[in-house]
Amino acid sequence: MMIKSINPFSGKKVNSYETHTIQGTNRIISSVDKAFHSWRSTGFQQRAVFMLNLASLLRSKKEELAKLMAIEMGKVMREGVAEIEKCAWVCEYYAQNSETMLENETVETQYSASFVSYQPLGTILAVMPWNFPFWQVFRFLAPTLMAGNTAVLKHASNVPGCALAIEELVREAGFPENVFRTLLVGSSLVEGIIRNPAVKAVSLTGSTPAGRSVAAIAGSELKKCVLELGGSDPYLILKDAALEQSAIVCATSRLLNAGQSCIAAKRFIVVDEVYTHFLEHFTDKMNEARFGDPCDPDITMGPLARTDLRDELHQQVIDSVKKGAEIVLGGEIPNLKGSFYPPTILENVKPGMPAYDDELFGPMASVIRVKDESEAVKVANDTPFGLGAAVFTKNTIAGSRIAELQLDAGCCFVNDFVKSDPRLPFGGIKQSGFGRELSLHGIREFVNAKTVVVK
């Protein structure tokens, strides 16, 4: 059986790869499990040497890797280069901080010694999506390997070239053989991989339905999982917001990666006093996007990753308009080759519409008018998702209070768009998943917090 990667701009086949059989997959997992038993005894300093090598390799190959993303899933070059730089950053961060994060913690008791030791679990499975094909993997890979675990990757089927490139980078950085391996398999084999006794836990970034499925399988095996799922992030524009700057930030968030991001701004909740002026600025900024060949350095937005994803987004727009939403900008599939969708804005968006209720994975913004701050918070929380949220106001004390105490989300920003950072925990609540990636919290997800007592 073969996996094909298709260029979403040209529609042409990039390459095809032979998939691993069930037997081949099990052999790889067995090899990775065997590698764990020696890798776990490797000291932090040696692990850090390999991880810093990996960071250096990423930076030296950032143009090449960005082009691979552009060809396989349509990311524009400038965003691809930035993604690789961020991957290098997370490698450096964990190389420099993991030993301190996982050092033994002494607890004063009546015993002669008592402490908590953080020990690796074994081989961890990563099930990763196509939208950030390097970053999603590296924010898992860096803490997982630095903690002394080994890992196998089941990447999205439309980015096999990226998946294999990551395996080669790890090998080239000097990591021991089989510490990290890519599995070229379809989703039908994921259940068997999770149930493999050598796999100790699973991390998934993907859709909410995929998260439910993986969580059910992992739960039946009593294996831990971390889930980063979908989002419908609300951005609150309060009456004292700096409107033009807020519009720039909001448009940037909505159009990043052609809108294909779990933490992209999706619902723009604007108080009545500034609604008209904000919408004018926001429309102007959304309309500035230049879409075309993602390998062209002057292009700011590429195609969506697949034609079926473009068509699904368009159907969500159509269904919302049928229920009363009004098109401010875009809303029509352009007469261009490639799976493009234009920057689109809908207003008069209400509950019961896909533009209000669902995650829209593309450059489509829902603008919702509310009477005041209190209603803005209520509408923001009126969603099954809880990944990110943002507040725009000149009163940063009030904005911080809303972000901390009133918004139901895992990541809340004031006067900026939501983004992940190696130094801060990242993840969601409600239907956006559970567990955390990055920071101290991320590296401690896949370790055994072991109590040791000496009488």
Side-chain angles (χ1 to χ4, degrees), residues 89-118:
W89 179 22
V90 78
C91 290
E92 291 169 342
Y93 175 77
Y94 279 109
Q96 294 160 2
N97 294 288
S98 293
E99 185 171 10
T100 300
M101 290 172 169
L102 297 179
E103 66 185 357
N104 289 352
E105 293 181 11
T106 299
V107 180
E108 294 296 330
T109 66
Q110 72 273 29
Y111 296 101
S112 60
S114 48
F115 59 92
V116 179
S117 176
Y118 296 98

PDB file of all heavy atoms in Angstrom, residues 89-118:
ATOM      1  N   TRP A  89      14.134  26.389  18.698  1.00  0.00           N
ATOM      2  CA  TRP A  89      14.000  27.026  20.010  1.00  0.00           C
ATOM      3  C   TRP A  89      13.545  26.013  21.065  1.00  0.00           C
ATOM      4  O   TRP A  89      14.108  25.948  22.163  1.00  0.00           O
ATOM      5  CB  TRP A  89      13.020  28.189  19.911  1.00  0.00           C
ATOM      6  CG  TRP A  89      12.760  28.933  21.191  1.00  0.00           C
ATOM      7  CD1 TRP A  89      13.560  28.989  22.299  1.00  0.00           C
ATOM      8  CD2 TRP A  89      11.620  29.751  21.475  1.00  0.00           C
ATOM      9  NE1 TRP A  89      12.975  29.786  23.261  1.00  0.00           N
ATOM     10  CE2 TRP A  89      11.799  30.258  22.784  1.00  0.00           C
ATOM     11  CE3 TRP A  89      10.489  30.110  20.756  1.00  0.00           C
ATOM     12  CZ2 TRP A  89      10.852  31.097  23.386  1.00  0.00           C
ATOM     13  CZ3 TRP A  89       9.550  30.953  21.354  1.00  0.00           C
ATOM     14  CH2 TRP A  89       9.734  31.441  22.648  1.00  0.00           C
ATOM     15  N   VAL A  90      12.547  25.194  20.740  1.00  0.00           N
ATOM     16  CA  VAL A  90      12.047  24.241  21.738  1.00  0.00           C
ATOM     17  C   VAL A  90      13.106  23.182  22.042  1.00  0.00           C
ATOM     18  O   VAL A  90      13.223  22.721  23.184  1.00  0.00           O
ATOM     19  CB  VAL A  90      10.712  23.612  21.301  1.00  0.00           C
ATOM     20  CG1 VAL A  90      10.878  22.508  20.264  1.00  0.00           C
ATOM     21  CG2 VAL A  90       9.948  23.076  22.506  1.00  0.00           C
ATOM     22  N   CYS A  91      13.898  22.821  21.045  1.00  0.00           N
ATOM     23  CA  CYS A  91      15.003  21.888  21.306  1.00  0.00           C
ATOM     24  C   CYS A  91      16.019  22.497  22.271  1.00  0.00           C
ATOM     25  O   CYS A  91      16.470  21.850  23.227  1.00  0.00           O
ATOM     26  CB  CYS A  91      15.692  21.502  19.997  1.00  0.00           C
ATOM     27  SG  CYS A  91      14.701  20.454  18.906  1.00  0.00           S
ATOM     28  N   GLU A  92      16.375  23.748  22.044  1.00  0.00           N
ATOM     29  CA  GLU A  92      17.330  24.431  22.918  1.00  0.00           C
ATOM     30  C   GLU A  92      16.765  24.607  24.327  1.00  0.00           C
ATOM     31  O   GLU A  92      17.472  24.423  25.325  1.00  0.00           O
ATOM     32  CB  GLU A  92      17.700  25.785  22.319  1.00  0.00           C
ATOM     33  CG  GLU A  92      18.522  25.676  21.046  1.00  0.00           C
ATOM     34  CD  GLU A  92      18.654  26.993  20.304  1.00  0.00           C
ATOM     35  OE1 GLU A  92      17.855  27.920  20.567  1.00  0.00           O
ATOM     36  OE2 GLU A  92      19.549  27.086  19.446  1.00  0.00           O
ATOM     37  N   TYR A  93      15.493  24.961  24.397  1.00  0.00           N
ATOM     38  CA  TYR A  93      14.854  25.195  25.695  1.00  0.00           C
ATOM     39  C   TYR A  93      14.925  23.949  26.572  1.00  0.00           C
ATOM     40  O   TYR A  93      15.332  24.016  27.742  1.00  0.00           O
ATOM     41  CB  TYR A  93      13.406  25.624  25.485  1.00  0.00           C
ATOM     42  CG  TYR A  93      12.629  25.763  26.775  1.00  0.00           C
ATOM     43  CD1 TYR A  93      12.795  26.871  27.592  1.00  0.00           C
ATOM     44  CD2 TYR A  93      11.738  24.771  27.180  1.00  0.00           C
ATOM     45  CE1 TYR A  93      12.088  26.996  28.782  1.00  0.00           C
ATOM     46  CE2 TYR A  93      11.029  24.885  28.363  1.00  0.00           C
ATOM     47  CZ  TYR A  93      11.213  25.999  29.158  1.00  0.00           C
ATOM     48  OH  TYR A  93      10.517  26.111  30.346  1.00  0.00           O
ATOM     49  N   TYR A  94      14.554  22.810  26.006  1.00  0.00           N
ATOM     50  CA  TYR A  94      14.571  21.585  26.812  1.00  0.00           C
ATOM     51  C   TYR A  94      15.985  21.046  27.022  1.00  0.00           C
ATOM     52  O   TYR A  94      16.271  20.434  28.062  1.00  0.00           O
ATOM     53  CB  TYR A  94      13.654  20.531  26.206  1.00  0.00           C
ATOM     54  CG  TYR A  94      12.202  20.785  26.581  1.00  0.00           C
ATOM     55  CD1 TYR A  94      11.289  21.236  25.647  1.00  0.00           C
ATOM     56  CD2 TYR A  94      11.773  20.593  27.889  1.00  0.00           C
ATOM     57  CE1 TYR A  94       9.977  21.490  26.000  1.00  0.00           C
ATOM     58  CE2 TYR A  94      10.460  20.849  28.254  1.00  0.00           C
ATOM     59  CZ  TYR A  94       9.560  21.294  27.310  1.00  0.00           C
ATOM     60  OH  TYR A  94       8.262  21.552  27.681  1.00  0.00           O
ATOM     61  N   ALA A  95      16.880  21.283  26.089  1.00  0.00           N
ATOM     62  CA  ALA A  95      18.274  20.904  26.306  1.00  0.00           C
ATOM     63  C   ALA A  95      18.848  21.641  27.513  1.00  0.00           C
ATOM     64  O   ALA A  95      19.628  21.080  28.296  1.00  0.00           O
ATOM     65  CB  ALA A  95      19.100  21.203  25.058  1.00  0.00           C
ATOM     66  N   GLN A  96      18.442  22.878  27.681  1.00  0.00           N
ATOM     67  CA  GLN A  96      18.999  23.723  28.740  1.00  0.00           C
ATOM     68  C   GLN A  96      18.275  23.582  30.079  1.00  0.00           C
ATOM     69  O   GLN A  96      18.854  23.900  31.129  1.00  0.00           O
ATOM     70  CB  GLN A  96      18.953  25.189  28.288  1.00  0.00           C
ATOM     71  CG  GLN A  96      19.851  25.487  27.104  1.00  0.00           C
ATOM     72  CD  GLN A  96      19.466  26.757  26.367  1.00  0.00           C
ATOM     73  OE1 GLN A  96      18.523  27.469  26.752  1.00  0.00           O
ATOM     74  NE2 GLN A  96      20.176  27.054  25.273  1.00  0.00           N
ATOM     75  N   ASN A  97      17.036  23.108  30.079  1.00  0.00           N
ATOM     76  CA  ASN A  97      16.231  23.163  31.301  1.00  0.00           C
ATOM     77  C   ASN A  97      15.721  21.828  31.825  1.00  0.00           C
ATOM     78  O   ASN A  97      15.209  21.763  32.942  1.00  0.00           O
ATOM     79  CB  ASN A  97      15.032  24.091  31.070  1.00  0.00           C
ATOM     80  CG  ASN A  97      15.437  25.527  30.853  1.00  0.00           C
ATOM     81  OD1 ASN A  97      15.856  26.213  31.783  1.00  0.00           O
ATOM     82  ND2 ASN A  97      15.337  25.997  29.619  1.00  0.00           N
ATOM     83  N   SER A  98      15.818  20.756  31.041  1.00  0.00           N
ATOM     84  CA  SER A  98      15.192  19.492  31.443  1.00  0.00           C
ATOM     85  C   SER A  98      15.771  18.922  32.737  1.00  0.00           C
ATOM     86  O   SER A  98      15.036  18.396  33.577  1.00  0.00           O
ATOM     87  CB  SER A  98      15.332  18.462  30.320  1.00  0.00           C
ATOM     88  OG  SER A  98      14.582  18.844  29.206  1.00  0.00           O
ATOM     89  N   GLU A  99      17.072  19.000  32.894  1.00  0.00           N
ATOM     90  CA  GLU A  99      17.683  18.417  34.092  1.00  0.00           C
ATOM     91  C   GLU A  99      17.142  19.073  35.352  1.00  0.00           C
ATOM     92  O   GLU A  99      16.811  18.392  36.339  1.00  0.00           O
ATOM     93  CB  GLU A  99      19.202  18.539  34.031  1.00  0.00           C
ATOM     94  CG  GLU A  99      19.902  17.844  35.189  1.00  0.00           C
ATOM     95  CD  GLU A  99      21.409  17.774  35.026  1.00  0.00           C
ATOM     96  OE1 GLU A  99      21.945  18.432  34.106  1.00  0.00           O
ATOM     97  OE2 GLU A  99      22.044  17.045  35.814  1.00  0.00           O
ATOM     98  N   THR A 100      17.013  20.386  35.324  1.00  0.00           N
ATOM     99  CA  THR A 100      16.470  21.104  36.484  1.00  0.00           C
ATOM    100  C   THR A 100      14.996  20.764  36.690  1.00  0.00           C
ATOM    101  O   THR A 100      14.542  20.565  37.826  1.00  0.00           O
ATOM    102  CB  THR A 100      16.628  22.623  36.299  1.00  0.00           C
ATOM    103  OG1 THR A 100      18.018  22.930  36.164  1.00  0.00           O
ATOM    104  CG2 THR A 100      16.043  23.394  37.464  1.00  0.00           C
ATOM    105  N   MET A 101      14.243  20.680  35.595  1.00  0.00           N
ATOM    106  CA  MET A 101      12.812  20.379  35.692  1.00  0.00           C
ATOM    107  C   MET A 101      12.542  19.006  36.293  1.00  0.00           C
ATOM    108  O   MET A 101      11.519  18.803  36.956  1.00  0.00           O
ATOM    109  CB  MET A 101      12.180  20.443  34.296  1.00  0.00           C
ATOM    110  CG  MET A 101      12.094  21.826  33.703  1.00  0.00           C
ATOM    111  SD  MET A 101      11.538  21.749  31.977  1.00  0.00           S
ATOM    112  CE  MET A 101      11.217  23.478  31.653  1.00  0.00           C
ATOM    113  N   LEU A 102      13.454  18.070  36.059  1.00  0.00           N
ATOM    114  CA  LEU A 102      13.222  16.695  36.479  1.00  0.00           C
ATOM    115  C   LEU A 102      14.150  16.247  37.610  1.00  0.00           C
ATOM    116  O   LEU A 102      14.248  15.058  37.896  1.00  0.00           O
ATOM    117  CB  LEU A 102      13.390  15.751  35.276  1.00  0.00           C
ATOM    118  CG  LEU A 102      12.393  15.966  34.134  1.00  0.00           C
ATOM    119  CD1 LEU A 102      12.667  14.991  32.992  1.00  0.00           C
ATOM    120  CD2 LEU A 102      10.954  15.818  34.622  1.00  0.00           C
ATOM    121  N   GLU A 103      14.798  17.195  38.266  1.00  0.00           N
ATOM    122  CA  GLU A 103      15.656  16.805  39.376  1.00  0.00           C
ATOM    123  C   GLU A 103      14.810  16.340  40.556  1.00  0.00           C
ATOM    124  O   GLU A 103      13.647  16.719  40.716  1.00  0.00           O
ATOM    125  CB  GLU A 103      16.572  17.952  39.784  1.00  0.00           C
ATOM    126  CG  GLU A 103      15.876  19.160  40.362  1.00  0.00           C
ATOM    127  CD  GLU A 103      16.840  20.306  40.629  1.00  0.00           C
ATOM    128  OE1 GLU A 103      18.052  20.124  40.408  1.00  0.00           O
ATOM    129  OE2 GLU A 103      16.374  21.379  41.047  1.00  0.00           O
ATOM    130  N   ASN A 104      15.397  15.488  41.380  1.00  0.00           N
ATOM    131  CA  ASN A 104      14.679  14.954  42.539  1.00  0.00           C
ATOM    132  C   ASN A 104      14.206  16.083  43.453  1.00  0.00           C
ATOM    133  O   ASN A 104      14.921  17.073  43.650  1.00  0.00           O
ATOM    134  CB  ASN A 104      15.566  13.997  43.326  1.00  0.00           C
ATOM    135  CG  ASN A 104      15.815  12.694  42.589  1.00  0.00           C
ATOM    136  OD1 ASN A 104      15.213  12.429  41.550  1.00  0.00           O
ATOM    137  ND2 ASN A 104      16.706  11.873  43.124  1.00  0.00           N
ATOM    138  N   GLU A 105      13.021  15.892  44.028  1.00  0.00           N
ATOM    139  CA  GLU A 105      12.468  16.879  44.972  1.00  0.00           C
ATOM    140  C   GLU A 105      12.432  16.259  46.367  1.00  0.00           C
ATOM    141  O   GLU A 105      11.709  15.285  46.611  1.00  0.00           O
ATOM    142  CB  GLU A 105      11.053  17.278  44.542  1.00  0.00           C
ATOM    143  CG  GLU A 105      11.008  18.053  43.246  1.00  0.00           C
ATOM    144  CD  GLU A 105       9.595  18.457  42.871  1.00  0.00           C
ATOM    145  OE1 GLU A 105       8.682  18.319  43.717  1.00  0.00           O
ATOM    146  OE2 GLU A 105       9.401  18.899  41.735  1.00  0.00           O
ATOM    147  N   THR A 106      13.210  16.808  47.274  1.00  0.00           N
ATOM    148  CA  THR A 106      13.237  16.324  48.646  1.00  0.00           C
ATOM    149  C   THR A 106      11.986  16.785  49.393  1.00  0.00           C
ATOM    150  O   THR A 106      11.554  17.940  49.253  1.00  0.00           O
ATOM    151  CB  THR A 106      14.489  16.840  49.372  1.00  0.00           C
ATOM    152  OG1 THR A 106      15.647  16.354  48.687  1.00  0.00           O
ATOM    153  CG2 THR A 106      14.521  16.382  50.816  1.00  0.00           C
ATOM    154  N   VAL A 107      11.385  15.871  50.151  1.00  0.00           N
ATOM    155  CA  VAL A 107      10.218  16.179  50.974  1.00  0.00           C
ATOM    156  C   VAL A 107      10.564  15.847  52.421  1.00  0.00           C
ATOM    157  O   VAL A 107      10.990  14.722  52.727  1.00  0.00           O
ATOM    158  CB  VAL A 107       8.986  15.360  50.523  1.00  0.00           C
ATOM    159  CG1 VAL A 107       7.775  15.698  51.387  1.00  0.00           C
ATOM    160  CG2 VAL A 107       8.687  15.616  49.050  1.00  0.00           C
ATOM    161  N   GLU A 108      10.386  16.817  53.298  1.00  0.00           N
ATOM    162  CA  GLU A 108      10.716  16.600  54.703  1.00  0.00           C
ATOM    163  C   GLU A 108       9.644  15.733  55.363  1.00  0.00           C
ATOM    164  O   GLU A 108       8.474  16.089  55.405  1.00  0.00           O
ATOM    165  CB  GLU A 108      10.835  17.941  55.431  1.00  0.00           C
ATOM    166  CG  GLU A 108      12.000  18.807  54.969  1.00  0.00           C
ATOM    167  CD  GLU A 108      13.355  18.164  55.244  1.00  0.00           C
ATOM    168  OE1 GLU A 108      13.458  17.400  56.232  1.00  0.00           O
ATOM    169  OE2 GLU A 108      14.301  18.408  54.466  1.00  0.00           O
ATOM    170  N   THR A 109      10.058  14.572  55.884  1.00  0.00           N
ATOM    171  CA  THR A 109       9.170  13.665  56.615  1.00  0.00           C
ATOM    172  C   THR A 109       9.932  13.121  57.831  1.00  0.00           C
ATOM    173  O   THR A 109      11.062  13.536  58.090  1.00  0.00           O
ATOM    174  CB  THR A 109       8.728  12.481  55.719  1.00  0.00           C
ATOM    175  OG1 THR A 109       9.881  11.677  55.423  1.00  0.00           O
ATOM    176  CG2 THR A 109       8.090  12.952  54.433  1.00  0.00           C
ATOM    177  N   GLN A 110       9.297  12.159  58.516  1.00  0.00           N
ATOM    178  CA  GLN A 110       9.968  11.551  59.665  1.00  0.00           C
ATOM    179  C   GLN A 110      11.036  10.548  59.261  1.00  0.00           C
ATOM    180  O   GLN A 110      11.787  10.043  60.105  1.00  0.00           O
ATOM    181  CB  GLN A 110       8.944  10.855  60.582  1.00  0.00           C
ATOM    182  CG  GLN A 110       8.350   9.559  60.046  1.00  0.00           C
ATOM    183  CD  GLN A 110       7.119   9.798  59.180  1.00  0.00           C
ATOM    184  OE1 GLN A 110       6.988  10.846  58.546  1.00  0.00           O
ATOM    185  NE2 GLN A 110       6.211   8.823  59.185  1.00  0.00           N
ATOM    186  N   TYR A 111      11.116  10.242  57.943  1.00  0.00           N
ATOM    187  CA  TYR A 111      12.081   9.252  57.487  1.00  0.00           C
ATOM    188  C   TYR A 111      13.472   9.881  57.290  1.00  0.00           C
ATOM    189  O   TYR A 111      13.614  11.100  57.183  1.00  0.00           O
ATOM    190  CB  TYR A 111      11.605   8.611  56.189  1.00  0.00           C
ATOM    191  CG  TYR A 111      10.324   7.826  56.367  1.00  0.00           C
ATOM    192  CD1 TYR A 111       9.107   8.367  55.992  1.00  0.00           C
ATOM    193  CD2 TYR A 111      10.347   6.552  56.932  1.00  0.00           C
ATOM    194  CE1 TYR A 111       7.921   7.663  56.168  1.00  0.00           C
ATOM    195  CE2 TYR A 111       9.171   5.840  57.115  1.00  0.00           C
ATOM    196  CZ  TYR A 111       7.958   6.396  56.739  1.00  0.00           C
ATOM    197  OH  TYR A 111       6.798   5.693  56.923  1.00  0.00           O
ATOM    198  N   SER A 112      14.468   9.016  57.210  1.00  0.00           N
ATOM    199  CA  SER A 112      15.829   9.524  57.017  1.00  0.00           C
ATOM    200  C   SER A 112      15.993  10.162  55.640  1.00  0.00           C
ATOM    201  O   SER A 112      16.820  11.051  55.459  1.00  0.00           O
ATOM    202  CB  SER A 112      16.851   8.394  57.206  1.00  0.00           C
ATOM    203  OG  SER A 112      16.621   7.357  56.261  1.00  0.00           O
ATOM    204  N   ALA A 113      15.192   9.690  54.660  1.00  0.00           N
ATOM    205  CA  ALA A 113      15.181  10.305  53.333  1.00  0.00           C
ATOM    206  C   ALA A 113      13.832  10.054  52.682  1.00  0.00           C
ATOM    207  O   ALA A 113      13.265   8.958  52.805  1.00  0.00           O
ATOM    208  CB  ALA A 113      16.296   9.741  52.457  1.00  0.00           C
ATOM    209  N   SER A 114      13.327  11.048  52.033  1.00  0.00           N
ATOM    210  CA  SER A 114      12.099  10.887  51.246  1.00  0.00           C
ATOM    211  C   SER A 114      12.119  11.924  50.131  1.00  0.00           C
ATOM    212  O   SER A 114      12.399  13.098  50.367  1.00  0.00           O
ATOM    213  CB  SER A 114      10.853  11.047  52.117  1.00  0.00           C
ATOM    214  OG  SER A 114      10.926  12.193  52.931  1.00  0.00           O
ATOM    215  N   PHE A 115      11.870  11.448  48.944  1.00  0.00           N
ATOM    216  CA  PHE A 115      11.944  12.361  47.798  1.00  0.00           C
ATOM    217  C   PHE A 115      11.092  11.841  46.648  1.00  0.00           C
ATOM    218  O   PHE A 115      10.661  10.681  46.634  1.00  0.00           O
ATOM    219  CB  PHE A 115      13.397  12.544  47.349  1.00  0.00           C
ATOM    220  CG  PHE A 115      14.108  11.284  46.946  1.00  0.00           C
ATOM    221  CD1 PHE A 115      14.121  10.855  45.624  1.00  0.00           C
ATOM    222  CD2 PHE A 115      14.795  10.523  47.887  1.00  0.00           C
ATOM    223  CE1 PHE A 115      14.794   9.706  45.244  1.00  0.00           C
ATOM    224  CE2 PHE A 115      15.472   9.363  47.521  1.00  0.00           C
ATOM    225  CZ  PHE A 115      15.461   8.955  46.194  1.00  0.00           C
ATOM    226  N   VAL A 116      10.848  12.747  45.689  1.00  0.00           N
ATOM    227  CA  VAL A 116      10.119  12.407  44.465  1.00  0.00           C
ATOM    228  C   VAL A 116      11.124  12.370  43.324  1.00  0.00           C
ATOM    229  O   VAL A 116      11.891  13.316  43.128  1.00  0.00           O
ATOM    230  CB  VAL A 116       9.008  13.430  44.154  1.00  0.00           C
ATOM    231  CG1 VAL A 116       8.278  13.046  42.860  1.00  0.00           C
ATOM    232  CG2 VAL A 116       8.022  13.524  45.313  1.00  0.00           C
ATOM    233  N   SER A 117      11.122  11.268  42.589  1.00  0.00           N
ATOM    234  CA  SER A 117      12.007  11.107  41.437  1.00  0.00           C
ATOM    235  C   SER A 117      11.163  10.994  40.171  1.00  0.00           C
ATOM    236  O   SER A 117      10.145  10.302  40.153  1.00  0.00           O
ATOM    237  CB  SER A 117      12.848   9.836  41.613  1.00  0.00           C
ATOM    238  OG  SER A 117      13.650   9.601  40.473  1.00  0.00           O
ATOM    239  N   TYR A 118      11.564  11.707  39.115  1.00  0.00           N
ATOM    240  CA  TYR A 118      10.817  11.705  37.860  1.00  0.00           C
ATOM    241  C   TYR A 118      11.502  10.773  36.863  1.00  0.00           C
ATOM    242  O   TYR A 118      12.585  11.083  36.363  1.00  0.00           O
ATOM    243  CB  TYR A 118      10.711  13.122  37.304  1.00  0.00           C
ATOM    244  CG  TYR A 118       9.916  14.033  38.214  1.00  0.00           C
ATOM    245  CD1 TYR A 118      10.561  14.889  39.104  1.00  0.00           C
ATOM    246  CD2 TYR A 118       8.531  14.017  38.206  1.00  0.00           C
ATOM    247  CE1 TYR A 118       9.843  15.708  39.960  1.00  0.00           C
ATOM    248  CE2 TYR A 118       7.795  14.838  39.056  1.00  0.00           C
ATOM    249  CZ  TYR A 118       8.452  15.682  39.926  1.00  0.00           C
ATOM    250  OH  TYR A 118       7.727  16.485  40.774  1.00  0.00           O
TER     251      TYR A 118
END
